[in-house]
Amino acid sequence: MRPQLLLVPLGLLLTQAASAQTCEARVFAADPASDSFFASALDFDGSEILSGAPGARDGSGSSVGAVHVFERATPTSAWGEVAEIQPASRVQGDNFGASIARDGDTLVGGAPETASVTSGTPGRVFVFERVSSSQWDEVTVLSPPDGVPGDTFGTSVAVDGDTLLVGAPNHDDAVRPGGSTYVYTRDAGGNWSLSQRLDKPQTNGGIGFGEVVAIDGDRACISGPNMSGGAISSGASPAAALIAGS
């Protein structure tokens, strides 16, 4: 089946809940493949759609992943693909596009599965800057200094201004095993550097801290869906930690 992305007008859903919903558009990748996992991750701002396809292949046939960019000129125009983004240093099994986030002209794409290939990394995150609607230039590649293969660094990403969160839900700290979230900041020169690592608040039970991350200003919300015990959750119910910035 051809991978597709369905757009439903949410305004209609909210104002005419009793009416049947209509599909505004069906958006396809220009080079569709059943194993591309197109639309595994999304970012949308009204005139532009970013769609992750972590199984997409490159020109050599390697499954490395991609991010597809779609735009429309007006609210009634048809959606068209304007770019397909793949990292320069891609390798088989990267799963690039498993997570994506965008803020302004900054695009971040996670490649959490590089541990499964010969590179033996804990996962990577690629940062791009927009040059034009059809061109995004890769500016840096991030990988944790304390990471080990299998950490799945890049499972989740979130960016707000000059702050970037990266989830590594399989990272094991000696004191608080079960996932970490890395915080990167961008300086005036455009360089990203690691500023701190956030670990789950309790030392016992569960894994997956950093499975999903979100940021707004000086606050971050980090999920730990498989965590239990402590002050975060009881039993095996989903958990989230709201961490206030300085």
Side-chain angles (χ1 to χ4, degrees), residues 50 67 85 100-102 105-109 126-129 136:
L50 303 179
V67 172
I85 303 169
I100 54 177
R102 193 273 309 272
D105 292 330
T106 300
L107 166 64
V108 182
F126 298 85
V127 182
F128 299 82
E129 292 292 334
W136 294 77

Side-chain angles (χ1 to χ4, degrees), residues 2 5 17 51-52 62-63 66 68 88 93 114 128 133 140 149 188 193 203 230 243:
R2 190 182 188 190
L5 170 64
S51 176
S62 298
S63 177
H68 299 268
T114 34
F128 299 82
S133 62
T140 193
S193 60
T203 59
I243 301 176

Side-chain angles (χ1 to χ4, degrees), residues 27-205:
V27 180
F28 301 93
D31 55 347
S34 60
D35 59 351
S36 70
F37 301 103
F38 176 75
S40 291
L42 296 170
D43 192 286
F44 176 53
D45 74 352
S47 62
E48 186 174 62
I49 303 168
L50 303 179
S51 176
R57 300 181 183 277
D58 63 8
S60 69
S62 298
S63 177
V64 296
V67 172
H68 299 268
V69 184
F70 300 86
E71 289 186 350
R72 63 179 178 181
T74 69
T76 58
S77 299
W79 291 92
E81 183 171 345
V82 296
E84 180 181 357
I85 303 169
Q86 291 185 316
S89 59
R90 56 188 178 268
V91 293
Q92 170 73 25
D94 262 351
N95 269 18
F96 172 72
S99 62
I100 54 177
R102 193 273 309 272
D103 185 30
D105 292 330
T106 300
L107 166 64
V108 182
E113 297 299 335
T114 34
S116 63
V117 296
T118 55
S119 62
T121 72
R124 295 181 293 173
V125 164
F126 298 85
V127 182
F128 299 82
E129 292 292 334
R130 190 208 314 259
V131 177
S132 66
S133 62
S134 61
Q135 181 180 349
W136 294 77
D137 286 355
E138 184 179 322
V139 295
T140 193
V141 183
L142 304 175
S143 189
D146 59 349
V148 298
D151 277 359
T152 59
F153 175 87
T155 293
S156 59
V157 292
V159 61
D160 185 14
D162 295 323
T163 305
L164 165 63
L165 302 182
V166 181
N170 290 332
H171 175 76
D172 280 336
D173 175 73
V175 177
R176 291 183 172 87
S180 297
T181 295
Y182 296 78
V183 183
Y184 292 83
T185 55
R186 179 170 50 188
D187 62 23
N191 303 302
W192 291 93
S193 60
L194 180 65
S195 62
Q196 68 179 122
R197 190 189 76 197
L198 305 175
D199 299 316
K200 65 179 184 178
Q202 85 271 40
T203 59
N204 63 309

